[in-house]
Amino acid sequence: MMKFIAFNAREDEQQYFEAWEKKNGVQVDMVEEAIDSTSINQTVGYDGVLALQTGVFPEKMFDKLSKNGVKVFAIRNVGVDNLDLEAAKKNGIKVTNVPAYSPNAIAEFSVTQLMQLLRNTTIFRRKVAEHDFRWAPFVGKELRSLTVGVIGTGRIGRAAIDIYLGFGAKVIAYDVYPNPELVQEGLYVSSYDELFAQADVITMHMPATPKDHHLINADTIAKMKKGVYIINTARGSLINTPDLIKAIKDGQVAGAALDTYENESPLFNHDLRGKELEDKTFSELLELDNVLVTPHVAFYTETAVKNMVFIALDSAKSVCEKGHADTLVI
């Protein structure tokens, strides 16, 4: 009988794992732990491993998985930038991902966060809690009066563009791999610098690559319009956080919504109530009224969770039965 083991299995995923297991007659065991140098020993005897973690995987993970008899490694998310794909290939382990679990979930969330920044809702929530009901000087902005620069025009970026256009905003976009339909619509600019110079809002929906590490930094921020808003629901490594903080304090950046953070693994999806945060940069972010920090939850809707589980399991099953899957990375 085919057997899979799912790491980082959450309570909200359980009903979907169980429904798929019952329908397909494949054993699926769930563990709460992430894959580390100890928990990886639990993979002995399994055909496939399902994972969901944005941080660092254990050293020589694919060597160990191969020795344990694992045939397929199925990520329940899009990004594979934290996986050693060459090591997977060397060890004969197929890797799959979930390229589109719900583009609209992330796109909608990014717009929601921007709208809060534009209308100063964080500041007004604090003021109301203090029984200060005055308005000034926190006047808002209307989205339809702004130019939104979308970096990355894949499924998520395209969904975001549609929403922004619905609000009546002017949209410009940049992507190293332009979408032919958007080319016809005339939305693309020719470079990052051109987008930085024109955009009132910069929203990122792109993968992380070595070339784009710290795309947002002191030098690039200086090329942006004063009072720009920055939205990141993509990857934390795209932003040099200390540079962003300085730009916010200096007024060059009017606000930022960050659903991802470069050093998020020790923080996000952990209960740290009552504990002092060791990451001083992150603590500094949290103190800023015009910064919205959320713990990598842009994807987190019922639709997305179901799709992430079902597509990852379908992919793993397909690899084990047929040697390939539509979602194959390598």
Side-chain angles (χ1 to χ4, degrees), residues 59-124:
E59 188 177 355
K60 296 185 178 180
M61 177 180 70
F62 288 110
D63 299 59
K64 296 173 184 176
L65 292 178
S66 179
K67 291 176 183 176
N68 290 347
V70 173
K71 302 179 184 68
V72 57
F73 187 88
I75 280 282
R76 304 196 300 281
N77 54 274
V78 181
V80 294
D81 48 284
N82 58 341
L83 292 174
D84 187 344
L85 298 179
E86 284 301 317
K89 187 175 181 180
K90 178 182 175 182
N91 283 280
I93 295 178
K94 301 289 187 182
V95 176
T96 67
N97 70 343
V98 182
Y101 35 86
S102 182
N104 276 76
I106 299 170
E108 288 177 9
F109 188 84
S110 66
V111 179
T112 299
Q113 296 300 86
L114 172 63
M115 294 298 290
Q116 292 193 76
L117 289 173
L118 295 180
R119 300 307 298 267
N120 301 301
T121 57
T122 299
I123 294 171
F124 280 115

Side-chain angles (χ1 to χ4, degrees), residues 69 71 114 122 127 192 201-202 205 239 248 258 262 286:
K71 302 179 184 68
L114 172 63
T122 299
K127 286 168 66 67
Y192 284 132
V201 176
I202 295 171
H205 303 287
I239 294 180
I248 291 170
L258 309 175
E262 188 168 13
L286 298 181

